[in-house]
Amino acid sequence: MTAGLLLSGVAGTASAAQVPADQQSCAPSPTTPLRQFRASWVSSVVNIDWPSKTGLSAAQQQAELISWFDDAVRQHHNAVILQVRPTADAFWPSKVEPWSRYLTGTQGGDPGYDPLAFAVAEAHKRNLELHAWFNPYRLSMGTDINALIPTHPARQHPDWVVTYGGKLYYNPGIPAARKLVEDAIMDAVSNYDIDGVHFDDYFYPYPVAGQVFDDAATYAQYGAGFPTLADWRRHNIDLLIQEIQHRIKAIKPWVKFGISPFAVWRNKATDPEGSDTTAGVQTHDDLAADTRKWVREDWIDYIVPQVYWAGGFAPADYNKIVRWWADQVRGTHVHLYIGEATYKVGTSTQSPDWADPQELSDHLAFDSTIPEVKGNIYFSAKDVRADRLGATTLLNNTWYTRPALIPAMPSLDSRPPLPVQAVQATRTADGVQVKWRRTTSDTTSYAIYRRELLGGDHCPDNDARNLIATVRSTGATQSYLDTTATPGTKYLYTVTALDRLANQSIPIPTISLH
């Protein structure tokens, strides 16, 4: 037992003689990190990813979603970011807003099942985290408020609505509108076992040349104490972020709150503390989103700047922006994941680098040198699947050859679950059957490690070189069939328990003797 504990990186009573002489070989490999957040965005607005079109049957929609989740598993992803409120509507039977038109083609149309409940169940079955993605203020992709169903809150409160850039938005400066947005999100948080609440880059809308977001009257009504309209707008978005964070943690402290903003907070020419970029949009100034402040104040659990540019691209260099964000999260509890522009591979004329299948893999190579970067998310699922130029295959074969655990968040919870019990490994005709018993009910999943008993490494499991699988907890007893075990080879298996925030127990070993 002691040797097994030592192998898996847990301090024990082993003698110095058991420690491998070649410590260099035990250095964690950057290509197989033990913990790394990996996901794709599955976008529902205008049926970008899922459902692929409106009017599919419930069974067809479910089959498509399962296919996206199976893609994630094959690629050794460990989470999915699923858009469930694209335009002030719902992919669940919401008490606040109508069914989304992107399900049936008709707003308010019942799809015949509960998509969010189905998504949570199927994701967890595959041991994927399910982060529910909500767009806060966008009401409609068109400008006709009468196209919304009569019972829509916006029809009942047309004074909350602003038309801008060919779309409808709730006015973020109206407190009652902000509360409605929060109530809609909290309806999902309260009633579904989601792992995260996720916002993208839309707060106040992106600027449109020659148009004005008409909230002057609202500013006059609510803006006392704010010297400028811009200051007041940023305060409104700050309130949304603070309030939704407090409301989530008040009922489910383990649910993560993450935001994926446009990656440039401010250009250095605008603010010496900004990034070395010349981007045309700055979230602080143009979207009223003070993204750096949210990190510094620890109002969010993770941030995913959409660094949708190539390394070396002069106006916005991937490497410079990632470094800037690493500086911002350092010393906070906020995790940094990087949003990747898979959609540009083989299609973008912005930079010739996107014609290089190596570009995305180069991003991960750079990220692996920045300790603050804890993962990557890809936009969007259909582009990941398209595998243009073979870029996805190259990335997966280089960086995702092993599973990875979700990065732990000690600021939310740092207590690991109790270890498993009664681990056994038995040869079968199909491989090695590993069995164990759960000790406590707070165990959500398990990690299974394997090394050859003779000739295998004796390194701690501080990377994923020996991690062969993670599986969801399904009851008091559990098993895993290792179909990749070589006949006639004896293995040392270790099993760890993980809770829903990925805190890991000490490992319990067993040997496959037959």
Side-chain angles (χ1 to χ4, degrees):
M1 287 292 195
T2 305
L5 297 181
L6 178 67
L7 289 168
S8 295
V10 178
T13 59
S15 68
Q18 291 174 290
V19 179
D22 185 8
Q23 293 291 347
Q24 187 66 33
S25 67
C26 289
S29 169
T31 63
T32 55
L34 181 61
R35 293 183 181 270
Q36 186 178 47
F37 193 89
R38 304 169 179 173
S40 294
W41 280 285
V42 178
S43 182
S44 62
V45 67
V46 299
N47 301 103
I48 290 175
D49 295 307
W50 178 78
S52 60
K53 59 184 177 181
T54 59
L56 297 178
S57 69
Q60 289 171 320
Q61 290 183 13
Q62 291 170 356
E64 283 192 352
L65 190 60
I66 285 173
S67 181
W68 290 123
F69 291 174
D70 287 344
D71 275 7
V73 171
R74 276 192 296 273
Q75 296 176 104
H76 289 146
H77 288 192
N78 47 29
V80 173
I81 315 296
L82 179 66
Q83 191 171 31
V84 299
R85 184 183 181 269
T87 51
D89 49 12
F91 273 58
W92 73 97
S94 170
K95 300 179 183 68
V96 180
E97 293 175 318
W99 284 109
S100 175
R101 61 172 293 195
Y102 301 116
L103 289 165
T104 63
T106 303
Q107 189 173 74
D110 188 334
Y113 74 112
D114 184 335
L116 182 52
F118 180 81
V120 169
E122 292 298 322
H124 287 173
K125 186 186 300 182
R126 291 161 177 78
N127 202 31
L128 298 166
E129 283 197 347
L130 195 287
H131 291 232
W133 167 16
F134 305 85
N135 189 287
Y137 291 114
R138 185 173 60 203
L139 262 171
S140 172
M141 299 299 283
T143 59
D144 182 5
I145 193 170
N146 292 318
L148 306 176
I149 65 171
T151 56
H152 196 290
R155 291 284 297 275
Q156 298 168 354
H157 302 279
D159 53 315
W160 294 0
V161 179
V162 178
T163 303
Y164 181 80
K167 300 180 179 67
L168 299 177
Y169 297 89
Y170 280 127
N171 186 339
I174 296 176
R178 184 176 74 248
K179 182 179 184 301
L180 178 98
V181 168
E182 294 175 10
D183 289 348
I185 294 166
M186 291 308 298
D187 185 64
V189 174
S190 300
N191 293 297
Y192 296 86
D193 189 23
I194 61 176
D195 299 287
V197 167
H198 185 94
F199 290 174
D200 59 9
D201 51 322
Y202 291 95
F203 297 97
Y204 278 84
Y206 279 83
V208 177
Q211 297 196 26
V212 175
F213 189 86
D214 186 8
D215 59 352
T218 316
Y219 175 46
Q221 182 177 359
Y222 295 107
F226 294 93
T228 69
L229 175 67
D231 288 334
W232 171 71
R233 284 179 174 176
R234 279 189 289 273
H235 173 69
N236 294 331
I237 304 301
D238 283 352
L239 285 177
L240 172 73
I241 304 307
Q242 283 181 279
E243 290 172 358
I244 198 68
Q245 191 257 5
H246 287 314
R247 292 184 67 175
I248 292 167
K249 302 305 182 187
I251 64 167
K252 292 185 176 179
W254 60 87
V255 171
K256 303 165 188 176
F257 179 32
I259 295 178
S260 178
F262 182 81
V264 175
W265 171 72
R266 301 189 95 182
N267 295 317
K268 185 177 285 188
T270 305
D271 186 325
E273 295 192 11
S275 52
D276 185 12
T277 50
T278 56
V281 172
Q282 304 169 91
T283 63
H284 175 279
D285 302 79
D286 298 309
L287 307 181
D290 194 349
T291 52
R292 185 180 74 153
K293 179 179 182 180
W294 306 340
V295 169
R296 290 185 163 192
E297 298 291 337
D298 277 316
W299 289 347
I300 56 180
D301 297 309
Y302 67 86
I303 192 158
V304 193
Q306 296 174 15
V307 192
Y308 287 175
W309 303 284
F313 180 61
D317 184 332
Y318 180 94
N319 297 1
K320 289 181 178 180
I321 296 172
V322 169
R323 276 201 190 96
W324 186 89
W325 277 105
D327 290 342
Q328 308 316 307
V329 302
R330 194 174 300 121
T332 74
H333 296 306
V334 179
H335 282 198
L336 174 62
Y337 314 138
I338 305 300
E340 301 289 343
T342 308
Y343 72 95
K344 286 187 175 180
V345 174
T347 66
S348 176
T349 57
Q350 178 195 68
S351 165
D353 296 291
W354 293 109
D356 181 357
Q358 187 74 37
E359 181 64 28
L360 286 179
S361 294
D362 287 346
H363 291 185
L364 268 71
F366 177 77
D367 293 348
S368 72
T369 70
I370 309 294
E372 289 79 13
V373 176
K374 298 181 184 295
N376 303 78
I377 308 178
Y378 300 89
F379 188 83
S380 69
K382 68 178 176 57
D383 298 293
V384 173
R385 179 181 284 177
D387 195 18
R388 287 184 296 275
L389 309 181
T392 296
T393 295
L394 178 61
L395 184 148
N396 291 342
N397 289 344
T398 307
W399 297 101
Y400 292 169
T401 60
R402 313 299 298 173
L405 308 183
I406 293 280
M409 286 189 173
S411 60
L412 300 185
D413 177 26
S414 60
R415 186 180 63 184
L418 292 174
V420 301
Q421 297 177 328
V423 182
Q424 299 176 350
T426 306
R427 278 281 176 186
T428 72
D430 300 316
V432 175
Q433 188 84 35
V434 186
K435 297 181 179 180
W436 62 91
R437 284 207 312 267
R438 186 180 69 193
T439 304
T440 52
S441 59
D442 64 338
T443 295
T444 302
S445 63
Y446 305 95
I448 300 103
Y449 303 83
R450 184 194 73 191
R451 48 179 47 79
E452 291 187 17
L453 188 61
L454 301 175
D457 72 61
H458 294 271
C459 299
D461 283 320
N462 53 16
D463 67 10
R465 70 185 74 180
N466 297 311
L467 179 63
I468 59 171
T470 68
V471 296
R472 198 75 176 181
S473 177
T474 56
T477 60
Q478 191 95 15
S479 68
Y480 170 77
L481 179 62
D482 178 12
T483 58
T484 65
T486 302
T489 301
K490 294 180 181 179
Y491 294 104
L492 175 71
Y493 290 88
T494 52
V495 179
T496 62
L498 296 103
D499 62 19
R500 69 176 306 142
L501 281 165
N503 295 301
Q504 184 173 216
S505 75
I506 63 171
I508 302 298
T510 190
I511 297 172
S512 63
L513 294 177
H514 304 291

